[in-house]
Amino acid sequence: VPRNYDPILHPFEVPREYTRALNATKLERVFAKPFLSSLDGHRDGVNCMAKHPKSLSTVLSGACDGEVKIWNLTKRQCIRTIQAHEGFVRGMCARFCGTSFFTVGDDKTVKQWKMEGPECGEEEEPIHTILGKTVYTGIDHHWKEAVFATCGHQVDIWDEQRTSPMCSLTWGFDSISSVKFNPIETYLLGSCASDRNIVLYDMRKSTPLKKVILNMRTNTLCWNPMEAFVFTAANEDYNLYTFDMRYLESPMMVHMDHVSAVLDVDYSPTGKEFVSASFDKSVRIFPVDKGHSREVYHTKRMQHVVTVKWTSDSKYILCGSDEMNIRLWKANASEKLGVLAPREKAAMNYNQKLKEKFQYHPKIRRIAQHRHLPKSIFCQIKEQRIMREARRRKELNRRKHSKPGSMPFVSERKKHIVAVVK
């Protein structure tokens, strides 16, 4: 249709678009039904999960009773169960080719398993078993080579063909809770120790690179799959910190919204958002460049969320929690699943642009940001707001009654960093 774009001929364009944007925002909240299904079958709390590198529909999970399950997400059922360890399954990761996966547990062993089930009449046995000297608390596989790293008393780098580590990296004498390989600069590793350190290593050198010490302990970290030097750390002080590993003096962003310790974090494949799991029984989605979450997921039955994964097609989120369930959520709460007609797609794109154009209008912003929270989280948020205000007031009073310049201003980003050691 030929159309004259002269604004004089379209006098009420902006009010009309505002009304459309308001309706689109309201409808988005009406259709926000993120919960898809729960995968139940574990007999103890889910402690760790791993994604299959080649198959979108396959996910692995490990529980606190040493059981490992492999799930088919399209059928939403368990396709294989392995009794892998005595005690907790502490960590698991798939090999980059997708033919096998590794698990570590409380019984001081590292086991490699076939991704395919055993043939008829065969025993369910690991391909390799490595018996270590101490308990391993985490494992991660190199993205391109037959090398994996475990952590516990120290960070060990292993070759798949050998039963002793190629090299062991230590800095300080505390237990290390998680280790992660960088997906882009594949020789880089990051690890979190329980003496509040985040330590970075280079596999090509036999010594650690540098470490940053925070006020409280970091539980785990995750590298951005699109930006080589950026990683996000999940901390005990209810916050997440996004760092550039070249400038560890202050984080790029502090993400605050959780009201209890953050236990796990995972990036979306686009590198623009990440999802975090917390002890406060909720899952939140944060944009990388924003300090507050855009979405919070919770259910009545869900207990402390221990592990979380963002699927490789960027559409779904999986979270494993204490009460033995793995839940499947939509990454975009109001997204319509299935095939979209061309006109539907066009309408959705138009509505999206309208919402972006008017996102700062008070009415639209209030509707878009409002989330119904469980009473416990709501009350804790209120309580923490009061505490924050009190701290701010105290600092202002101190500054008012002390010598000019004797109390320097410390930004929120630098408050939580104790030191950087190189």
Side-chain angles (χ1 to χ4, degrees):
V1 179
R3 182 159 177 242
N4 190 337
Y5 285 100
D6 182 5
I8 300 159
L9 299 176
H10 306 279
F12 293 114
E13 191 172 26
V14 176
R16 204 178 302 129
E17 279 190 346
Y18 173 76
T19 308
R20 282 177 190 165
L22 188 65
N23 289 340
T25 311
K26 285 177 181 173
L27 283 176
E28 184 191 42
R29 297 312 312 142
V30 167
F31 292 127
K33 292 185 170 53
F35 179 72
L36 292 172
S37 76
S38 79
L39 312 171
D40 29 7
H42 275 296
R43 290 172 300 185
D44 209 334
V46 182
N47 199 43
C48 53
M49 286 196 295
K51 292 184 282 194
H52 192 293
K54 296 278 162 71
S55 157
L56 278 175
S57 61
T58 309
V59 72
L60 307 106
S61 66
C64 298
D65 58 354
E67 201 173 60
V68 168
K69 281 185 182 286
I70 301 176
W71 304 87
N72 184 333
L73 292 181
T74 42
K75 294 179 183 170
R76 296 183 190 172
Q77 64 189 37
C78 174
I79 49 177
R80 188 165 154 225
T81 304
I82 308 164
Q83 186 58 46
H85 294 276
E86 302 287 324
F88 282 47
V89 180
R90 286 289 172 190
M92 59 197 313
C93 66
R95 201 172 183 274
F96 60 90
C97 59
T99 53
S100 63
F101 64 94
F102 294 82
T103 61
V104 293
D106 277 357
D107 51 5
K108 303 183 184 178
T109 55
V110 181
K111 293 184 182 178
Q112 183 182 2
W113 306 83
K114 271 188 191 164
M115 196 65 84
E116 297 299 317
E119 297 293 321
C120 187
E122 268 187 51
E123 288 283 310
E124 182 76 87
E125 283 182 344
I127 309 169
H128 296 302
T129 303
I130 300 167
L131 191 60
K133 293 184 179 72
T134 56
V135 173
Y136 298 112
T137 53
I139 186 168
D140 198 30
H141 202 283
H142 195 283
W143 290 75
K144 291 196 174 101
E145 292 167 23
V147 171
F148 64 92
T150 60
C151 63
H153 184 59
Q154 59 197 17
V155 172
D156 293 324
I157 314 284
W158 306 75
D159 191 305
E160 282 182 18
Q161 307 304 322
R162 292 165 60 179
T163 55
S164 58
M166 292 195 299
C167 73
S168 298
L169 305 158
T170 54
W171 193 348
F173 298 97
D174 226 312
S175 58
I176 294 155
S177 56
S178 89
V179 63
K180 292 282 165 75
F181 272 101
N182 191 320
I184 304 166
E185 302 289 349
T186 50
Y187 45 81
L188 287 175
L189 295 116
S191 77
C192 310
S194 51
D195 55 357
R196 304 174 305 164
N197 294 343
I198 300 171
V199 190
L200 301 173
Y201 310 92
D202 190 329
M203 219 169 67
R204 300 166 299 182
K205 290 168 40 173
S206 54
T207 55
L209 288 175
K210 48 183 168 180
K211 69 176 172 181
V212 56
I213 306 167
L214 280 81
N215 274 332
M216 287 179 84
R217 193 181 80 193
T218 302
N219 286 317
T220 183
L221 60 87
C222 187
W223 294 92
N224 190 324
M226 286 293 166
E227 296 187 45
F229 300 113
V230 177
F231 66 90
T232 295
N235 205 283
E236 285 277 321
D237 65 358
Y238 316 168
N239 298 340
L240 294 114
Y241 301 98
T242 299
F243 284 97
D244 186 322
M245 67 169 278
R246 295 164 295 183
Y247 317 107
L248 290 174
E249 283 74 24
S250 85
M252 290 160 59
M253 186 58 73
V254 180
H255 309 273
M256 349 170 63
D257 258 347
H258 281 295
V259 293
S260 196
V262 189
L263 301 179
D264 199 13
V265 57
D266 192 38
Y267 263 94
S268 86
T270 59
K272 290 184 176 176
E273 292 182 321
F274 60 84
V275 59
S276 65
S278 171
F279 198 76
D280 63 14
K281 309 176 188 179
S282 70
V283 173
R284 285 182 186 267
I285 302 173
F286 290 87
V288 172
D289 53 351
K290 300 275 197 309
H292 292 283
S293 60
R294 73 161 172 85
E295 197 63 77
V296 55
Y297 295 157
H298 53 86
T299 68
K300 273 186 183 174
R301 280 191 56 207
M302 189 155 76
Q303 295 302 310
H304 313 306
V305 192
V306 182
T307 175
V308 72
K309 281 279 177 276
W310 200 309
T311 56
S312 304
D313 61 350
S314 193
K315 275 187 180 265
Y316 306 104
I317 284 163
L318 287 149
C319 71
S321 50
D322 262 358
E323 80 318 323
M324 308 181 264
N325 271 19
I326 297 166
R327 287 181 173 76
L328 184 65
W329 308 84
K330 285 192 264 188
N332 193 353
S334 57
E335 183 182 22
K336 188 184 172 192
L337 298 178
V339 183
L340 292 179
R343 285 185 64 178
E344 261 184 311
K345 214 175 273 184
M348 274 172 60
N349 292 340
Y350 176 55
N351 285 344
Q352 190 58 40
K353 280 282 169 255
L354 283 178
K355 282 183 284 195
E356 280 171 29
K357 182 176 176 181
F358 292 97
Q359 64 185 335
Y360 297 112
H361 280 245
K363 206 170 178 182
I364 287 178
R365 189 171 165 193
R366 186 186 65 80
I367 294 166
Q369 286 187 349
H370 176 75
R371 295 291 178 277
H372 185 78
L373 293 168
K375 193 177 177 184
S376 58
I377 296 180
F378 184 76
C379 293
Q380 277 172 295
I381 288 174
K382 215 150 79 174
E383 196 177 305
Q384 281 172 20
R385 194 183 295 132
I386 293 164
M387 284 156 69
R388 239 191 336 268
E389 283 299 314
R391 278 199 294 272
R392 207 174 123 263
R393 208 162 46 242
K394 194 173 182 179
E395 198 180 325
L396 282 172
N397 288 342
R398 268 208 194 124
R399 192 167 278 119
K400 203 191 292 179
H401 297 293
S402 49
K403 206 164 114 187
S406 64
M407 279 193 72
F409 284 92
V410 184
S411 72
E412 184 63 46
R413 292 182 189 190
K414 290 195 177 177
K415 263 180 203 167
H416 310 278
I417 307 292
V418 177
V420 177
V421 189
K422 292 185 183 175

